[in-house]
């Protein structure tokens, strides 16, 4: 890829043009998945290796549609509730030849799908030691983010809100603190509902946004994917452009000096 | 054919050349072809300046849509985006498919290929469908070298999972054979543009391909 690398997204030593990462779950079929992913402009896609077929030659394989030569495939450990489970799932994905990147999810509660942070930390330690590029899903807790960065994760991925909730960033202040302290990329993951949520994440200064349900669950997923692409670009540009400060009172747009009598 | 092919159910792909219509207006000949069953049109008028190409493309977009056919613009991603065409057809020395995809999102990307390795690379890079040829000898395609033949066509159709259309001297007599080699359809220039009755010529080609036009 050669076009438009003016503001590349650097992650684990690779450079990307797109700051939108998309999941591949919850679509009607692989054809719809492909259309939406293409419309989103995403270069990194996550795959729930426990739920989506990428290994069984007898069944339809997602990777025939989203080719590893074109996309960076990020297997995720969705559906894992213990560190052991997550580690095993990550190893399985690597053995299946999908590369050594992993989006680490260890879920603590079925209703909220909030991460079990101690278990995530434990799994991250093991996986980093085994040479994986680990991208951990965590809550928006700066301490959790710091610890996961310290064990060697390639990024930290604080949630905006519960997976699939569509609430957008509920605690921008925590996200800002995480941004201040992190030396690895900060990727908002989970809870994005619509385009403005993605733009807000990028305006805060996040390096990227990851979403699945917001696109797959929209009435028109391809159109929403396009909107998200634009929102991430708009938010990033607004961040780089340097916004005006927020003020309680007005400041006239033209100076009052020399007003005509 | 796999699920991916459903995205592009195309069998008869007409490539334009306004110098090959025996003096008839291009739009008239294209419309006759559409009536006869052309399901995709590639606008390829390399000698037209951009303003004229864009005007022509705008008219073709509407015309094709009326017949439920797709319009792809040869090489010119900018024109395709400006007029809202269905996609772009990339010749060999055009944009890299990955870069085209960045610009086009999920619109169609077709690639011209002349060797099996080009076909495999284009499919891997994310093209939606391929045109492979020249399969038979034809004046339009002599600059691309000797005809590749049916064996190479078969090799390509087996080797990729996206639709492959054969180009290069395909006629009503050879269309069925080409289909038997695994081609999803054919791309034609003279076979329709030079025909006395382009509508009938298109309909015949579709019948020979095993996909006769049922209504239009």
């Amino acid at each position: 890829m050669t076009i438009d690398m003016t503001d590349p997204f650097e992650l684990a030593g690779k450079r990307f043009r797109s700051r939108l990462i998309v999941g591949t779950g919850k679509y009607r079929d692989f054809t719809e998945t492909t259309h939406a992913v293409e419309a989103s402009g995403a270069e990194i896609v996550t795959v729930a290796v426990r739920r989506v077929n990428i290994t069984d030659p007898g069944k339809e394989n997602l990777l025939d549609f989203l080719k590893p030569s074109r996309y960076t495939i990020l297997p995720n450990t969705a559906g894992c509730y213990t560190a052991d489970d997550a580690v095993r799932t990550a190893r399985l994905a690597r053995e299946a030849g999908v590369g050594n990147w992993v989006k680490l999810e260890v879920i603590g509660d079925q209703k909220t799908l909030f991460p079990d942070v101690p278990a995530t930390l434990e799994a991250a330690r093991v996986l980093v030691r085994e040479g994986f590029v680990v991208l951990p899903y965590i809550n928006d807790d700066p301490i959790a983010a710091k610890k996961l960065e310290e064990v060697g994760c390639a990024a930290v991925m604080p949630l905006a809100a519960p997976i699939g909730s569509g609430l957008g960033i509920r605690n921008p202040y925590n996200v800002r603190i995480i941004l201040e302290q992190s030396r690895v990329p900060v990727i908002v993951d989970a809870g994005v509902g619509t385009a403005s949520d993605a733009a807000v994440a990028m305006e805060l200064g996040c390096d990227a946004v990851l979403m699945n349900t917001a696109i797959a669950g929209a009435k028109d997923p391809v159109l929403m994917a396009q909107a998200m692409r634009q929102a991430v670009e708009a938010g990033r540009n607004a961040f780089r452009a340097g916004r005006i400060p927020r003020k309680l009172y007005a400041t006239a747009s033209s100076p009052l000096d020399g007003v005509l009598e | 054919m796999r699920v991916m092919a459903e995205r592009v159910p195309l069998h008869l792909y007409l490539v334009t050349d306004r110098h090959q219509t025996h003096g008839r207006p291009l739009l008239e000949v294209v419309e006759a072809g559409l009536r006869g069953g052309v399901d995709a049109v590639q606008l390829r008028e390399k000698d037209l300046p951009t303003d004229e190409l864009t005007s022509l493309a705008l008219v073709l977009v509407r015309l094709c849509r009326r017949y439920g056919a797709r319009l792809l613009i040869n090489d010119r991603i900018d024109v395709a985006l400006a007029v809202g065409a269905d996609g772009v057809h990339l010749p060999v020395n055009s944009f890299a498919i990955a870069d085209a995809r960045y610009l086009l999102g999920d619109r169609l990307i077709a690639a011209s290929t002349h060797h099996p390795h080009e076909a495999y690379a284009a499919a891997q890079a994310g093209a939606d469908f391929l045109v492979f040829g020249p399969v038979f000898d034809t004046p339009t395609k002599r600059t691309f070298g000797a005809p590749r033949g049916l064996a190479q066509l078969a090799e390509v159709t087996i080797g990729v999972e996206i639709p492959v259309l054969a180009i290069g001297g395909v006629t009503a007599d050879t269309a069925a054979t080409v289909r038997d080699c695994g081609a999803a359809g054919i791309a034609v220039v003279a076979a329709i543009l030079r025909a006395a009755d382009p509508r009938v010529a298109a309909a015949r080609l579709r019948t020979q391909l095993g996909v006769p036009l049922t209504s239009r």
Side-chain angles (χ1 to χ4, degrees):
Chain A
M1 265 158 277
T2 47
I3 292 179
D4 193 18
M5 280 294 217
T6 46
D7 174 38
F9 169 39
E10 299 198 13
L11 180 62
K14 279 180 83 169
R15 297 167 93 221
F16 299 92
R17 189 169 45 208
S18 169
R19 292 175 178 272
L20 174 58
I21 303 173
V22 297
T24 52
K26 304 179 187 172
Y27 287 98
R28 210 173 36 218
D29 52 41
F30 288 165
T31 302
E32 190 187 53
T33 314
T34 312
H35 285 233
V37 171
E38 282 172 352
S40 76
E43 295 162 290
I44 306 171
V45 297
T46 69
V47 183
V49 293
R50 277 186 138 187
R51 297 181 186 146
V52 179
N53 180 45
I54 55 172
T55 49
D56 184 346
K59 292 163 57 194
E60 218 176 37
N61 186 331
L62 178 64
L63 300 187
D64 286 335
F65 292 77
L66 300 173
K67 294 188 200 286
S69 54
R70 230 179 106 188
Y71 294 98
T72 297
I73 306 293
L74 185 54
N76 75 32
T77 63
C80 295
Y81 287 80
T82 66
D84 269 346
D85 248 354
V87 168
R88 239 179 288 121
T89 304
R91 286 176 185 151
L92 272 172
R94 183 158 70 174
E95 273 151 38
V98 205
N100 67 339
W101 287 39
V102 61
K103 179 190 153 173
L104 177 60
E105 276 179 47
V106 186
I107 303 300
D109 168 59
Q110 269 189 329
K111 212 162 82 173
T112 60
L113 298 180
F114 279 148
D116 176 342
V117 174
T120 304
L121 194 52
E122 196 190 313
R125 273 201 195 94
V126 175
L127 292 171
V128 166
R129 209 170 42 224
E130 291 182 9
F132 283 85
V133 168
V134 180
L135 308 174
Y137 160 69
I138 52 168
N139 54 23
D140 49 3
D141 168 16
I143 308 294
K146 182 97 285 203
K147 291 196 165 183
L148 278 148
E149 179 184 322
E150 279 165 3
V151 302
C153 292
V156 290
M157 310 216 292
L159 54 74
I163 295 171
S165 67
L167 292 169
I169 296 189
R170 284 173 324 152
N171 194 343
Y173 303 99
N174 275 24
V175 173
R176 279 175 67 180
I177 293 171
I178 294 173
L179 281 164
E180 256 175 37
Q181 68 177 26
S182 300
R183 280 161 312 195
V184 293
V186 177
I187 302 169
V188 162
D189 173 22
V192 167
T194 187
S196 47
D197 300 329
V200 164
M202 297 308 293
E203 283 169 13
L204 283 172
C206 295
D207 296 275
V209 180
L210 199 163
M211 65 179 73
N212 187 341
T213 313
I215 296 175
K219 288 201 179 64
D220 185 340
V222 172
L223 189 55
M224 183 58 89
Q226 208 182 295
M228 290 299 184
R229 176 185 175 156
Q230 292 166 321
V232 169
E233 285 172 7
R236 178 65 180 177
N237 286 342
F239 171 71
R240 290 173 65 218
R243 61 159 299 155
I244 56 169
R246 289 182 171 86
K247 286 187 184 159
L248 186 55
Y249 300 105
T251 318
S253 304
S254 6
L256 291 173
D257 306 341
V259 161
L260 299 171
E261 304 276 324
Chain B
M1 266 291 176
R2 308 190 47 201
V3 176
M4 203 56 180
E6 284 159 24
R7 189 184 172 186
V8 199
L10 61 92
H11 308 287
L12 187 54
Y13 187 28
L14 173 60
V15 185
T16 70
D17 181 348
R18 70 192 193 290
H19 303 300
Q20 284 204 55
T21 60
H22 282 314
R24 296 167 295 183
L26 179 67
L27 288 172
E28 195 184 284
V29 177
V30 170
E31 180 158 16
L34 287 165
R35 269 206 311 266
V38 162
D39 44 27
V41 175
Q42 183 194 151
L43 177 59
R44 184 177 182 275
E45 305 293 330
K46 298 180 101 69
D47 56 338
L48 272 182
T50 307
D51 53 357
E52 289 178 47
L53 184 65
T54 305
S55 304
L56 179 54
L58 267 171
V59 176
L60 272 172
V61 157
R62 281 178 234 131
L63 182 61
C64 289
R65 218 140 269 171
R66 259 196 289 141
Y67 289 93
R70 325 285 186 110
L71 176 67
L72 286 87
I73 312 293
N74 180 281
D75 196 43
R76 297 292 302 269
I77 297 181
D78 53 351
V79 174
L81 289 169
V83 306
D86 297 288
V88 169
H89 186 111
L90 298 174
V92 167
N93 292 109
S94 184
F95 287 90
I97 291 175
D99 289 337
R101 181 61 71 196
Y102 167 71
L103 295 166
L104 291 164
D106 85 319
R107 290 184 193 81
L108 290 173
I109 295 178
S112 281
T113 62
H114 309 290
H115 299 282
H117 68 85
E118 276 176 13
Y120 306 145
Q124 271 289 99
D128 295 294
F129 69 93
L130 305 177
V131 170
F132 178 78
V135 176
F136 305 113
D137 183 43
T138 170
T140 327
K141 294 280 167 188
R142 270 188 207 130
T143 46
F144 292 98
R148 302 296 183 266
L150 293 165
Q152 267 198 27
L153 172 64
E155 213 186 294
V156 168
T157 63
I158 290 172
V160 303
E161 283 146 4
I162 53 177
V164 179
L165 286 90
I167 195 172
V170 184
T171 62
D173 297 322
T174 51
T177 323
V178 156
R179 181 204 53 198
D180 292 340
C181 288
I186 59 177
V188 294
V189 187
I192 289 179
L193 295 182
R194 286 180 183 269
D197 188 333
R199 186 189 62 80
V200 167
R204 273 192 75 207
L205 285 166
R206 282 195 66 127
T207 307
Q208 291 303 111
L209 284 169
V211 283
L213 194 63
T214 42
S215 65
R216 204 167 264 189

